[in-house]
Amino acid sequence: MRSDLMKDGVSRLPHRSLLKALGVTDSEMKRPFIAVVSAASEYVPGHMHLKELAQAVKDGIRNEGGVPFEFNTIGVCDGLAMNHKGMRYSLASRELITDSIEVMLTAHPLDGVVFIPNCDKIVPGMILAAARLNLPSIFVSGGPMSPGKVCGKRVGLSENFEVVGRYADGKVSDEELREWENKSCPTCGSCSGMYTANSMNCLTEAVGLALPFNGSEPAVSSARRRLAKETGERIMYLVRENIRPLDILTRENMLNALATDMAIGASSNTVLHLLAIAHEAGADISIDDIDAMSRRIPQISKLNPASSIFIEDLNEVGGIQTVLNELAKKDLINLDVLTVSGTQRDRLKNAKDADGTIVHSINSPIRADGGIAILKGNLAPEGAVVKQGAVKPEMMDFTGTAKVFDGEQDAYDAILGGGIVPGDVVVIRYEGPKGGPGMPEMLSPTAAIAGKGLDGTVALITDGRFSGASRGASIGHVSPEAAEGGLIAFIENGDKIHIDIPNRKVELLVDDDEIAKRREKGVLPPKELSGYLKRYAKMVRNASVGAVFED
């Protein structure tokens, strides 16, 4: 056992004395030591119940003869960090989470790991750690929040941000605003729509690192507690059989996750995270693979914020297993890959067929291609990302007039202040991984555009990224970013921009001679930075490779 590095033999007497100070008994000293890595904290709603789930996991570990040891990671709530300096730390926290887990589990060698994430960067940060350490590992998330109910309608967090734009237009009263504040986020759990956290928890299940229903079982359900206990029991099997993350995070499993991503219209942020995970695992997945999957895989489920259907509804009709089952009917996934509970084929034996409303039949999809599209063109030769499943039909092929902002806040103020009109393309630059730094999410401006009723007439392009809660013609991850000298740095007010999502193009309609003249002026100098963000900006690569650090 790996834990013998700190507990076996005469030379480890001092180590055993420290373990006994923790209450470890002689009989426990002979058993596998299992890490329980939780993102629990008291001010993130997605994490506030994770101590309870961690206890259930530890109970499951003890049921099967293991000895659990719990520790915690940091975790940023993107909702609370939105639209201020804190958002620059969100994506950047992913690498800190990975590194901190590496430190803890190398300094204190244990035999297996149960990861308990929830919320946007914690899920991929923990998967990156699992791949790097390659110890027997399994995941159980905290589960999704239940949708709120405001004015008789079920709602998620995205509508909460959009109501700010409607309030600015005088369409919402102070009394109604208070109802939104009090009722839109009614329980613990990751925010209720198919936003980044729920997307990544679903993809963790699809890739095979978690048990079925990890992605969709509600945070408040007793079934979630049972799932946590079963996950604790399952890690002991993985340790005995020496099944490790790199046995599961293969190219074939990653393609299964990508197929699921497209089928459910998941958050555009999944592109960043899946690329980063593939890089860490050596799984040989590129942005071109994502583009190919986008063209090949039909979308068969459309959830909030793209519709009024929520992830708890998906759970009721069989969850991600139903989605995978439909994809399997057209041989769109590999059924012979290994998961933490047998092969994918084993897992689908009891999967439900599509209900036809929440999950459409593979023979009658919502759209013929996937919910996410990769765009290229002179504005994004290395790629840009759009959640096309949440774009209105009239915006799928759109030519508009650029209104350029060197940062999110100025753009947000212009939108709320009436400075953006139908036919505009809002360009927000110097918000990429290096230029932001940290590639902040743009939920506030996209929600303001939707809240003002402009999501059918206005597009937004950025080298930053979007929340999974964003909808509309919102094109992010533009690579190269402005800080790298990408063409987005040289757009001027009044330029025409053509967005052609069906043909996967995004083009600045300015001739090459004029662009060459503009390039002579150079890009904005780097921002004055300190602390972690200063180090992050120096080390991070662009979005087309997952915003990973330089090797």
Side-chain angles (χ1 to χ4, degrees):
M1 291 188 292
R2 184 171 179 268
S3 58
D4 286 346
L5 289 170
M6 64 177 183
K7 67 180 184 180
D8 188 51
V10 174
S11 66
R12 294 300 186 254
L13 182 150
H15 304 64
R16 290 194 297 276
S17 70
L18 290 168
L19 291 168
K20 287 189 172 182
L22 293 172
V24 177
T25 66
D26 285 334
S27 64
E28 287 177 325
M29 209 74 75
K30 299 173 185 176
R31 302 174 190 172
F33 282 8
I34 307 298
V36 177
V37 186
S38 168
S41 77
E42 292 186 350
Y43 65 95
V44 178
H47 302 170
M48 60 186 285
H49 62 307
L50 296 190
K51 286 187 179 296
E52 180 187 353
L53 293 183
Q55 186 58 55
V57 166
K58 290 187 285 188
D59 290 344
I61 292 168
R62 291 194 184 279
N63 285 350
E64 291 295 312
V67 184
F69 295 86
E70 180 184 355
F71 70 90
N72 295 75
T73 68
I74 62 168
V76 173
C77 173
D78 280 27
L80 295 174
M82 195 71 64
N83 199 222
H84 61 80
K85 183 180 179 180
M87 179 47 73
R88 304 197 185 285
Y89 287 85
S90 175
L91 180 60
S93 73
R94 186 185 71 185
E95 270 53 41
L96 278 177
I97 291 165
T98 303
D99 291 348
S100 67
I101 295 169
E102 176 191 353
V103 168
M104 286 292 287
L105 292 181
T106 306
H108 316 112
L110 274 67
D111 302 303
V113 193
V114 178
F115 291 96
I116 310 177
N118 235 21
C119 301
D120 297 30
K121 310 309 164 301
I122 298 90
V123 189
M126 288 185 175
I127 298 176
L128 289 170
R132 184 179 300 175
L133 292 161
N134 202 30
L135 296 170
S137 299
I138 190 170
F139 284 68
V140 59
S141 77
M145 180 185 290
S146 301
K149 195 167 186 179
V150 179
C151 302
K153 178 184 175 184
R154 291 197 306 166
V155 300
L157 183 68
S158 57
E159 291 94 337
N160 219 350
F161 276 88
E162 290 173 14
V163 81
V164 175
R166 287 164 44 207
Y167 181 75
D169 275 359
K171 297 175 181 176
V172 175
S173 67
D174 288 341
E175 182 180 355
E176 187 179 345
L177 200 69
R178 179 57 63 88
E179 185 174 357
W180 278 93
E181 182 178 322
N182 288 334
K183 296 183 178 181
S184 58
C185 295
T187 73
C188 62
S190 50
C191 297
S192 57
M194 187 51 77
Y195 312 148
T196 306
N198 289 329
S199 295
M200 287 305 302
N201 285 328
C202 288
L203 298 189
T204 305
E205 177 183 336
V207 83
L209 283 175
L211 295 175
F213 295 96
N214 173 74
S216 59
E217 189 64 56
V220 295
S221 72
S222 296
R224 173 64 59 179
R225 277 85 189 139
R226 295 195 299 273
L227 182 65
K229 190 176 292 185
E230 290 163 358
T231 299
E233 293 170 346
R234 191 66 184 177
I235 187 60
M236 299 305 297
Y237 169 83
L238 299 174
V239 169
R240 287 194 299 270
E241 298 299 318
N242 197 29
I243 296 171
R244 298 171 180 255
L246 294 186
D247 298 325
I248 294 172
L249 289 172
T250 63
R251 174 176 168 82
E252 291 75 21
N253 288 65
M254 293 293 294
L255 290 175
N256 281 357
L258 279 171
T260 307
D261 198 357
M262 300 304 164
I264 62 177
S267 165
S268 58
N269 283 320
T270 57
V271 172
L272 276 177
H273 301 320
L274 290 175
L275 287 171
I277 292 163
H279 177 269
E280 188 72 51
D284 190 26
I285 297 291
S286 72
I287 199 164
D288 292 329
D289 291 305
I290 296 173
D291 180 49
M293 293 298 282
S294 169
R295 296 169 188 267
R296 177 171 172 248
I297 304 297
Q299 184 175 358
I300 58 175
S301 185
K302 180 180 280 194
L303 306 179
N304 177 273
S307 80
S308 59
I309 299 169
F310 285 83
I311 194 162
E312 69 174 24
D313 304 322
L314 175 64
N315 189 68
E316 289 297 318
V317 299
I320 292 301
Q321 299 304 300
T322 294
V323 174
L324 289 166
N325 192 42
E326 286 301 311
L327 293 173
K329 292 176 181 179
K330 287 282 184 80
D331 296 323
L332 295 173
I333 60 168
N334 188 324
L335 293 177
D336 297 317
V337 295
L338 183 66
T339 77
V340 292
S341 53
T343 66
Q344 194 64 261
R345 190 183 304 277
D346 295 331
R347 283 159 63 115
L348 293 182
K349 286 178 180 176
N350 297 316
K352 295 180 180 179
D353 291 326
D355 69 303
T357 301
I358 295 166
V359 178
H360 288 231
S361 163
I362 195 68
N363 296 313
S364 183
I366 295 167
R367 56 182 306 123
D369 54 0
I372 293 174
I374 305 298
L375 310 185
K376 289 192 174 182
N378 67 350
L379 254 181
E382 296 176 18
V385 181
V386 63
K387 187 174 178 176
Q388 65 172 340
V391 178
K392 290 186 173 180
E394 60 267 34
M395 296 299 290
M396 295 295 284
D397 189 348
F398 176 76
T399 300
T401 303
K403 287 192 176 171
V404 184
F405 304 90
D406 292 332
E408 177 189 4
Q409 189 61 50
D410 288 344
Y412 184 57
D413 292 342
I415 296 164
L416 288 184
I420 303 301
V421 298
D424 284 344
V425 178
V426 178
V427 178
I428 305 177
R429 61 194 182 191
Y430 295 101
E431 295 287 21
K434 286 184 177 292
M439 205 180 182
E441 284 189 352
M442 302 291 170
L443 176 56
S444 291
T446 59
I449 287 169
K452 282 179 161 286
L454 295 171
D455 53 320
T457 56
V458 169
L460 193 154
I461 293 176
T462 181
D463 51 9
R465 60 192 176 88
F466 297 111
S467 166
S470 293
R471 59 187 176 93
S474 303
I475 297 157
H477 306 202
V478 168
S479 298
E481 61 175 291
E484 295 178 296
L487 186 54
I488 190 172
F490 306 104
I491 302 173
E492 294 183 357
N493 286 321
D495 287 349
K496 295 295 183 182
I497 295 174
H498 182 210
I499 300 163
D500 183 353
I501 296 174
N503 290 303
R504 306 296 199 266
K505 292 182 179 179
V506 56
E507 297 275 347
L508 177 65
L509 303 181
V510 174
D511 66 60
D512 292 343
D513 290 341
E514 175 60 24
I515 290 172
K517 290 178 184 177
R518 295 181 188 180
R519 284 189 181 277
E520 292 175 2
K521 301 175 186 176
V523 300
L524 289 180
K527 296 171 182 174
E528 289 293 326
L529 300 171
S530 62
Y532 177 56
L533 285 184
K534 184 175 183 178
R535 299 197 302 277
Y536 182 84
K538 287 181 178 180
M539 298 172 69
V540 72
R541 298 169 67 187
N542 74 30
S544 69
V545 291
V548 297
F549 280 176
E550 296 286 352
D551 291 328

